[in-house]
Amino acid sequence: MFNGLRRIFRNFTEKVSGKISKETLDETLNELLFQLVECDVAYTVAEKIIEELRLRYEEKPFKSKGEVLDALKNIVLNVLKNSKGTDFIRELDKLKAKKKPVAIVFLGINGVGKTTTIAKIAKKLKDHGFKPILSAADTYRAGAQEQIEYHARRLGLPVIKHKYGSDPAAVAFDTVRYAEKHSYDVVLIDTAGRMHTDIDLVNELKKIVRVIEPDFKTLVVDALTGNDAVEQAKMFNEHVGVDNIVIAKMDADVKGGVALSLAYELQKPIIYVGTGQKYDDLEPYDPEKIVSLILG
Ligand SMILES: Nc1nc2c(ncn2[C@@H]2O[C@H](COP(=O)(O)OP(=O)(O)OP(=O)(O)O)[C@@H](O)[C@H]2O)c(=O)[nH]1
Ligand SMILES: [Mg+2]
Protein backbone atom coordinates (compact mmCIF):
# COMPACT_ATOMS: atom_id res chain seq x y z
CA MET A 1 0.00 0.00 0.00
CA PHE A 2 1.13 3.53 -0.82
CA ASN A 3 4.49 2.36 -2.24
CA GLY A 4 4.33 4.85 -5.08
CA LEU A 5 3.72 7.87 -2.91
CA ARG A 6 6.28 6.72 -0.38
CA ARG A 7 8.93 6.48 -3.08
CA ILE A 8 8.32 9.85 -4.71
CA PHE A 9 8.13 11.70 -1.40
CA ARG A 10 11.37 10.04 -0.29
CA ASN A 11 12.98 11.20 -3.53
CA PHE A 12 11.67 14.70 -3.08
CA THR A 13 12.92 14.83 0.50
CA GLU A 14 16.45 13.92 -0.62
CA LYS A 15 16.44 16.65 -3.24
CA VAL A 16 15.18 19.65 -1.34
CA SER A 17 16.77 19.34 2.06
CA GLY A 18 19.64 21.76 2.32
CA LYS A 19 20.53 24.75 0.17
CA ILE A 20 19.15 24.69 -3.37
CA SER A 21 18.64 27.32 -6.06
CA LYS A 22 15.27 28.73 -7.02
CA GLU A 23 15.59 26.89 -10.37
CA THR A 24 16.23 23.57 -8.70
CA LEU A 25 13.28 24.10 -6.40
CA ASP A 26 10.97 24.88 -9.31
CA GLU A 27 12.25 21.92 -11.25
CA THR A 28 11.89 19.56 -8.31
CA LEU A 29 8.38 20.76 -7.50
CA ASN A 30 7.38 20.38 -11.12
CA GLU A 31 8.76 16.88 -11.18
CA LEU A 32 6.86 16.09 -7.99
CA LEU A 33 3.64 17.39 -9.54
CA PHE A 34 3.81 14.94 -12.42
CA GLN A 35 4.94 12.06 -10.27
CA LEU A 36 1.97 12.66 -7.98
CA VAL A 37 -0.40 12.66 -10.92
CA GLU A 38 1.12 9.37 -12.08
CA CYS A 39 0.36 7.98 -8.65
CA ASP A 40 -3.36 8.73 -9.12
CA VAL A 41 -3.31 12.00 -7.20
CA ALA A 42 -5.84 14.26 -8.92
CA TYR A 43 -4.21 17.22 -10.66
CA THR A 44 -5.94 19.76 -8.41
CA VAL A 45 -4.64 17.97 -5.33
CA ALA A 46 -1.12 17.58 -6.71
CA GLU A 47 -1.08 21.29 -7.51
CA LYS A 48 -2.24 22.16 -4.03
CA ILE A 49 0.49 20.02 -2.49
CA ILE A 50 3.28 21.58 -4.49
CA GLU A 51 2.00 25.13 -3.96
CA GLU A 52 1.91 24.51 -0.23
CA LEU A 53 5.46 23.19 -0.35
CA ARG A 54 6.59 26.22 -2.34
CA LEU A 55 5.02 28.61 0.15
CA ARG A 56 6.60 26.87 3.08
CA TYR A 57 9.99 26.70 1.41
CA GLU A 58 9.87 30.37 0.52
CA GLU A 59 8.91 31.26 4.05
CA LYS A 60 11.71 29.19 5.49
CA PRO A 61 13.99 26.90 3.41
CA PHE A 62 14.07 23.31 4.66
CA LYS A 63 17.34 22.77 6.49
CA SER A 64 17.05 19.03 6.98
CA LYS A 65 15.20 15.96 5.77
CA GLY A 66 13.27 16.08 8.99
CA GLU A 67 11.93 19.51 8.14
CA VAL A 68 10.87 18.44 4.65
CA LEU A 69 9.16 15.40 6.09
CA ASP A 70 7.34 17.45 8.70
CA ALA A 71 6.07 19.81 6.00
CA LEU A 72 4.96 16.91 3.81
CA LYS A 73 3.23 15.14 6.68
CA ASN A 74 1.34 18.26 7.59
CA ILE A 75 0.27 18.98 4.00
CA VAL A 76 -0.80 15.40 3.22
CA LEU A 77 -2.66 15.16 6.52
CA ASN A 78 -4.57 18.35 5.71
CA VAL A 79 -5.57 16.93 2.33
CA LEU A 80 -6.73 13.64 3.86
CA LYS A 81 -8.64 15.46 6.57
CA ASN A 82 -10.97 16.97 4.00
CA SER A 83 -12.75 13.72 4.54
CA LYS A 84 -13.76 12.94 8.07
CA GLY A 85 -13.13 9.37 9.09
CA THR A 86 -16.25 8.74 11.10
CA ASP A 87 -16.77 5.97 13.60
CA PHE A 88 -19.47 4.34 11.52
CA ILE A 89 -20.42 1.70 14.07
CA ARG A 90 -21.00 4.40 16.66
CA GLU A 91 -22.99 6.43 14.22
CA LEU A 92 -25.19 3.42 13.49
CA ASP A 93 -25.53 2.71 17.17
CA LYS A 94 -26.83 6.21 17.84
CA LEU A 95 -29.16 6.08 14.87
CA LYS A 96 -30.60 2.71 15.76
CA ALA A 97 -31.61 4.01 19.16
CA LYS A 98 -33.88 6.48 17.39
CA LYS A 99 -34.96 4.54 14.36
CA LYS A 100 -35.17 0.88 13.50
CA PRO A 101 -34.13 -0.52 11.17
CA VAL A 102 -31.31 1.58 9.79
CA ALA A 103 -31.01 1.05 6.04
CA ILE A 104 -27.81 1.30 4.01
CA VAL A 105 -27.72 1.00 0.23
CA PHE A 106 -24.37 0.15 -1.35
CA LEU A 107 -23.61 1.73 -4.70
CA GLY A 108 -20.77 1.30 -7.14
CA ILE A 109 -19.82 0.10 -10.58
CA ASN A 110 -19.29 -3.57 -11.34
CA GLY A 111 -16.58 -5.47 -9.57
CA VAL A 112 -15.44 -2.73 -7.19
CA GLY A 113 -16.11 -4.82 -4.08
CA LYS A 114 -19.66 -3.95 -2.99
CA THR A 115 -20.79 -7.45 -2.00
CA THR A 116 -17.55 -8.25 -0.20
CA THR A 117 -17.69 -4.92 1.65
CA ILE A 118 -21.26 -5.65 2.73
CA ALA A 119 -20.15 -8.99 4.15
CA LYS A 120 -17.27 -7.31 5.99
CA ILE A 121 -19.52 -4.62 7.46
CA ALA A 122 -22.13 -7.24 8.40
CA LYS A 123 -19.44 -9.14 10.27
CA LYS A 124 -18.34 -5.98 12.10
CA LEU A 125 -21.94 -5.20 13.03
CA LYS A 126 -22.52 -8.71 14.28
CA ASP A 127 -19.32 -8.55 16.34
CA HIS A 128 -20.63 -5.34 17.91
CA GLY A 129 -23.94 -6.90 18.90
CA PHE A 130 -26.10 -5.59 16.08
CA LYS A 131 -28.65 -7.69 14.24
CA PRO A 132 -27.92 -7.09 10.57
CA ILE A 133 -29.87 -8.51 7.66
CA LEU A 134 -28.78 -8.69 4.02
CA SER A 135 -30.82 -7.73 0.99
CA ALA A 136 -30.01 -9.38 -2.35
CA ALA A 137 -31.09 -6.45 -4.48
CA ASP A 138 -28.61 -7.35 -7.19
CA THR A 139 -31.13 -9.28 -9.26
CA TYR A 140 -29.14 -8.62 -12.40
CA ARG A 141 -25.80 -10.40 -12.44
CA ALA A 142 -25.76 -14.20 -12.72
CA GLY A 143 -24.46 -15.63 -9.44
CA ALA A 144 -25.00 -12.44 -7.44
CA GLN A 145 -27.62 -14.00 -5.16
CA GLU A 146 -25.57 -17.13 -4.55
CA GLN A 147 -22.61 -14.92 -3.68
CA ILE A 148 -24.47 -12.95 -1.02
CA GLU A 149 -26.17 -16.10 0.26
CA TYR A 150 -22.76 -17.69 0.66
CA HIS A 151 -21.64 -14.80 2.87
CA ALA A 152 -24.92 -14.83 4.79
CA ARG A 153 -24.50 -18.53 5.53
CA ARG A 154 -20.91 -18.14 6.67
CA LEU A 155 -21.83 -15.21 8.89
CA GLY A 156 -25.04 -16.80 10.16
CA LEU A 157 -27.23 -13.96 8.90
CA PRO A 158 -30.53 -13.92 7.03
CA VAL A 159 -30.80 -12.69 3.46
CA ILE A 160 -33.94 -11.66 1.60
CA LYS A 161 -34.10 -12.32 -2.14
CA HIS A 162 -36.53 -12.51 -5.04
CA LYS A 163 -36.11 -14.10 -8.46
CA TYR A 164 -33.39 -12.96 -10.83
CA GLY A 165 -34.66 -10.17 -13.03
CA SER A 166 -37.15 -8.94 -10.45
CA ASP A 167 -37.37 -5.35 -9.26
CA PRO A 168 -34.45 -4.53 -6.91
CA ALA A 169 -36.51 -1.86 -5.17
CA ALA A 170 -39.08 -4.51 -4.23
CA VAL A 171 -36.35 -6.71 -2.74
CA ALA A 172 -35.03 -3.78 -0.71
CA PHE A 173 -38.53 -2.86 0.42
CA ASP A 174 -39.31 -6.43 1.50
CA THR A 175 -36.08 -6.64 3.42
CA VAL A 176 -36.86 -3.47 5.35
CA ARG A 177 -40.36 -4.78 6.14
CA TYR A 178 -38.98 -8.15 7.23
CA ALA A 179 -36.42 -6.37 9.41
CA GLU A 180 -39.13 -4.28 11.07
CA LYS A 181 -41.21 -7.34 11.80
CA HIS A 182 -38.37 -9.47 13.13
CA SER A 183 -36.42 -6.68 14.86
CA TYR A 184 -33.31 -6.67 12.74
CA ASP A 185 -31.61 -3.34 13.26
CA VAL A 186 -29.46 -2.75 10.18
CA VAL A 187 -30.45 -3.57 6.60
CA LEU A 188 -27.52 -3.89 4.19
CA ILE A 189 -28.68 -3.64 0.59
CA ASP A 190 -26.53 -5.07 -2.16
CA THR A 191 -27.09 -3.60 -5.62
CA ALA A 192 -26.02 -4.52 -9.11
CA GLY A 193 -22.95 -2.88 -10.50
CA ARG A 194 -22.77 -1.79 -14.08
CA MET A 195 -20.89 0.93 -15.82
CA HIS A 196 -21.56 4.22 -14.05
CA THR A 197 -22.53 5.67 -17.39
CA ASP A 198 -25.38 3.17 -17.60
CA ILE A 199 -28.66 5.02 -17.36
CA ASP A 200 -30.60 1.88 -16.36
CA LEU A 201 -28.39 1.43 -13.33
CA VAL A 202 -28.87 5.03 -12.29
CA ASN A 203 -32.65 4.73 -12.63
CA GLU A 204 -32.68 1.45 -10.74
CA LEU A 205 -30.71 2.99 -7.88
CA LYS A 206 -32.87 6.09 -7.85
CA LYS A 207 -35.93 3.90 -7.50
CA ILE A 208 -34.47 1.97 -4.57
CA VAL A 209 -33.62 5.27 -2.89
CA ARG A 210 -37.10 6.67 -3.55
CA VAL A 211 -38.84 3.56 -2.25
CA ILE A 212 -36.92 2.88 0.96
CA GLU A 213 -35.34 6.27 1.74
CA PRO A 214 -32.13 4.77 3.10
CA ASP A 215 -30.25 6.36 5.99
CA PHE A 216 -27.00 5.98 4.08
CA LYS A 217 -26.06 5.72 0.45
CA THR A 218 -22.62 4.22 0.70
CA LEU A 219 -20.42 4.32 -2.38
CA VAL A 220 -17.81 1.61 -2.85
CA VAL A 221 -14.87 2.41 -5.10
CA ASP A 222 -11.91 0.31 -6.13
CA ALA A 223 -8.54 1.86 -5.23
CA LEU A 224 -7.04 0.34 -8.36
CA THR A 225 -9.20 2.49 -10.61
CA GLY A 226 -7.30 5.57 -9.48
CA ASN A 227 -8.66 8.85 -10.74
CA ASP A 228 -11.62 7.13 -12.32
CA ALA A 229 -12.80 6.43 -8.76
CA VAL A 230 -13.15 10.19 -8.31
CA GLU A 231 -15.15 10.47 -11.54
CA GLN A 232 -17.38 7.60 -10.42
CA ALA A 233 -17.92 9.23 -7.06
CA LYS A 234 -18.88 12.55 -8.66
CA MET A 235 -21.28 10.83 -11.04
CA PHE A 236 -23.01 8.78 -8.32
CA ASN A 237 -23.16 11.81 -6.09
CA GLU A 238 -24.76 13.91 -8.76
CA HIS A 239 -27.29 11.35 -9.95
CA VAL A 240 -28.10 9.25 -6.90
CA GLY A 241 -26.46 11.00 -3.95
CA VAL A 242 -23.57 9.69 -1.88
CA ASP A 243 -23.41 9.97 1.92
CA ASN A 244 -20.15 8.21 2.53
CA ILE A 245 -17.46 6.15 0.82
CA VAL A 246 -15.57 2.89 1.21
CA ILE A 247 -12.29 2.50 -0.67
CA ALA A 248 -11.90 -1.22 -1.41
CA LYS A 249 -8.74 -3.06 -2.50
CA MET A 250 -6.35 -0.57 -0.96
CA ASP A 251 -4.04 -3.54 -0.27
CA ALA A 252 -3.68 -4.20 -3.99
CA ASP A 253 -2.98 -0.59 -4.94
CA VAL A 254 0.72 0.20 -5.22
CA LYS A 255 0.26 3.87 -6.07
CA GLY A 256 -1.84 5.28 -3.26
CA GLY A 257 -3.17 8.55 -4.62
CA VAL A 258 -6.84 7.66 -4.66
CA ALA A 259 -7.42 8.39 -0.96
CA LEU A 260 -5.98 11.90 -1.33
CA SER A 261 -8.00 12.58 -4.47
CA LEU A 262 -11.28 11.35 -3.01
CA ALA A 263 -10.82 13.14 0.29
CA TYR A 264 -10.08 16.44 -1.41
CA GLU A 265 -12.46 16.30 -4.36
CA LEU A 266 -15.51 14.79 -2.69
CA GLN A 267 -15.12 15.92 0.93
CA LYS A 268 -17.47 13.13 2.00
CA PRO A 269 -16.71 10.89 4.96
CA ILE A 270 -14.64 7.88 3.98
CA ILE A 271 -15.85 5.28 6.45
CA TYR A 272 -13.65 2.29 5.65
CA VAL A 273 -10.72 1.09 3.65
CA GLY A 274 -10.68 -2.48 2.33
CA THR A 275 -7.34 -4.16 2.92
CA GLY A 276 -7.84 -7.73 1.70
CA GLN A 277 -10.34 -10.45 0.88
CA LYS A 278 -11.03 -11.71 4.40
CA TYR A 279 -13.94 -10.49 6.51
CA ASP A 280 -11.72 -8.67 8.96
CA ASP A 281 -9.81 -6.86 6.22
CA LEU A 282 -11.74 -3.65 6.62
CA GLU A 283 -10.19 -0.78 8.53
CA PRO A 284 -11.56 2.60 9.56
CA TYR A 285 -10.26 5.47 7.44
CA ASP A 286 -7.53 7.01 9.53
CA PRO A 287 -5.68 10.01 7.99
CA GLU A 288 -2.92 9.89 10.64
CA LYS A 289 -2.29 6.23 9.95
CA ILE A 290 -2.17 6.79 6.20
CA VAL A 291 0.30 9.64 6.65
CA SER A 292 2.54 7.45 8.75
CA LEU A 293 2.35 4.68 6.13
CA ILE A 294 3.36 7.14 3.42
CA LEU A 295 5.87 9.30 5.27
CA GLY A 296 7.02 7.19 8.21
N1 LIG B 1 -7.52 -7.55 -2.35
C1 LIG B 1 -8.78 -7.18 -2.14
N2 LIG B 1 -9.78 -7.72 -2.86
C2 LIG B 1 -11.04 -7.31 -2.63
C3 LIG B 1 -11.35 -6.33 -1.65
N3 LIG B 1 -12.69 -6.13 -1.67
C4 LIG B 1 -13.19 -6.94 -2.62
N4 LIG B 1 -12.20 -7.67 -3.20
C5 LIG B 1 -12.31 -8.66 -4.30
O1 LIG B 1 -12.84 -8.03 -5.46
C6 LIG B 1 -13.61 -8.93 -6.22
C7 LIG B 1 -14.96 -8.32 -6.53
O2 LIG B 1 -15.67 -8.16 -5.32
P1 LIG B 1 -17.25 -8.12 -5.22
O3 LIG B 1 -17.57 -7.88 -3.79
O4 LIG B 1 -17.85 -9.29 -5.88
O5 LIG B 1 -17.55 -6.81 -6.08
P2 LIG B 1 -18.98 -6.22 -6.49
O6 LIG B 1 -18.82 -4.75 -6.55
O7 LIG B 1 -20.04 -6.75 -5.62
O8 LIG B 1 -19.12 -6.81 -7.98
P3 LIG B 1 -20.47 -6.90 -8.86
O9 LIG B 1 -21.52 -7.47 -8.01
O10 LIG B 1 -20.09 -7.78 -10.01
O11 LIG B 1 -20.76 -5.51 -9.31
C8 LIG B 1 -13.70 -10.20 -5.38
O12 LIG B 1 -12.76 -11.14 -5.87
C9 LIG B 1 -13.30 -9.75 -3.98
O13 LIG B 1 -12.71 -10.76 -3.21
C10 LIG B 1 -10.26 -5.75 -0.89
O14 LIG B 1 -10.41 -4.87 -0.02
N5 LIG B 1 -9.00 -6.23 -1.18
MG1 LIG C 1 -21.82 -7.70 -6.06
Side-chain angles (χ1 to χ4, degrees):
M1 283 195 283
F2 302 108
N3 298 5
L5 289 180
R6 197 178 309 130
R7 201 185 56 243
I8 63 173
F9 282 137
R10 197 189 301 135
N11 240 334
F12 177 80
T13 307
E14 297 285 341
K15 284 190 182 158
V16 299
S17 49
K19 248 198 163 42
I20 52 167
S21 67
K22 164 108 177 50
E23 286 72 36
T24 311
L25 177 69
D26 284 344
E27 218 173 88
T28 315
L29 285 174
N30 220 24
E31 200 184 343
L32 178 65
L33 175 74
F34 287 103
Q35 288 173 336
L36 286 170
V37 171
E38 273 168 27
C39 272
D40 293 338
V41 176
Y43 194 87
T44 46
V45 184
E47 237 181 352
K48 177 168 170 65
I49 292 173
I50 71 147
E51 284 320 316
E52 273 289 319
L53 282 166
R54 190 192 307 281
L55 276 177
R56 288 173 195 226
Y57 190 92
E58 281 168 1
E59 223 164 71
K60 191 169 160 284
F62 307 127
K63 283 203 289 293
S64 64
K65 283 185 200 168
E67 285 184 19
V68 188
L69 275 175
D70 284 344
L72 281 171
K73 279 180 192 166
N74 189 266
I75 293 167
V76 173
L77 187 63
N78 284 339
V79 170
L80 290 169
K81 279 191 168 169
N82 279 292
S83 165
K84 283 190 193 42
T86 51
D87 184 339
F88 195 50
I89 296 288
R90 241 187 78 194
E91 211 175 321
L92 292 178
D93 205 31
K94 274 195 266 173
L95 199 56
K96 112 179 173 196
K98 281 185 279 181
K99 175 190 177 289
K100 259 188 194 179
V102 177
I104 311 170
V105 176
F106 291 80
L107 320 167
I109 74 162
N110 49 316
V112 289
K114 292 178 296 299
T115 308
T116 310
T117 299
I118 288 173
K120 289 173 176 179
I121 291 179
K123 161 89 166 40
K124 252 191 215 315
L125 287 169
K126 201 180 164 201
D127 289 348
H128 281 84
F130 287 79
K131 273 187 76 188
I133 181 168
L134 310 180
S135 184
D138 179 353
T139 62
Y140 179 78
R141 182 174 61 77
Q145 299 191 351
E146 287 75 10
Q147 189 186 357
I148 198 160
E149 279 177 319
Y150 164 82
H151 290 303
R153 216 168 28 247
R154 281 188 65 188
L155 295 168
L157 296 172
V159 56
I160 301 297
K161 63 168 188 174
H162 290 182
K163 282 206 218 30
Y164 277 107
S166 62
D167 182 357
V171 182
F173 184 76
D174 275 0
T175 316
V176 173
R177 277 247 299 263
Y178 186 95
E180 280 164 1
K181 235 197 206 142
H182 298 88
S183 53
Y184 286 91
D185 47 26
V186 184
V187 179
L188 302 171
I189 300 157
D190 195 17
T191 64
R194 264 169 260 167
M195 283 312 293
H196 54 299
T197 46
D198 189 326
I199 189 76
D200 289 340
L201 172 64
V202 167
N203 287 335
E204 190 176 296
L205 294 172
K206 274 185 173 163
K207 186 172 176 193
I208 298 177
V209 167
R210 204 166 55 234
V211 169
I212 66 154
E213 298 178 340
D215 300 282
F216 296 100
K217 297 177 286 296
T218 296
L219 178 74
V220 182
V221 296
D222 175 341
L224 294 166
T225 59
N227 271 309
D228 198 50
V230 178
E231 295 311 313
Q232 291 163 28
K234 286 180 179 167
M235 188 296 294
F236 277 103
N237 189 39
E238 187 183 323
H239 294 286
V240 191
V242 168
D243 298 310
N244 52 34
I245 300 174
V246 175
I247 307 177
K249 308 187 200 178
M250 200 66 122
D251 55 302
D253 176 33
V254 292
K255 294 179 174 177
V258 69
L260 277 76
S261 305
L262 276 172
Y264 187 80
E265 296 263 325
L266 267 294
Q267 314 217 339
K268 303 263 181 196
I270 296 170
I271 50 173
Y272 291 114
V273 171
T275 56
Q277 309 210 32
K278 293 196 292 294
Y279 290 136
D280 289 328
D281 294 334
L282 188 73
E283 295 180 15
Y285 173 75
D286 180 349
E288 264 95 6
K289 188 170 170 200
I290 294 178
V291 166
S292 80
L293 280 171
I294 300 174
L295 290 154

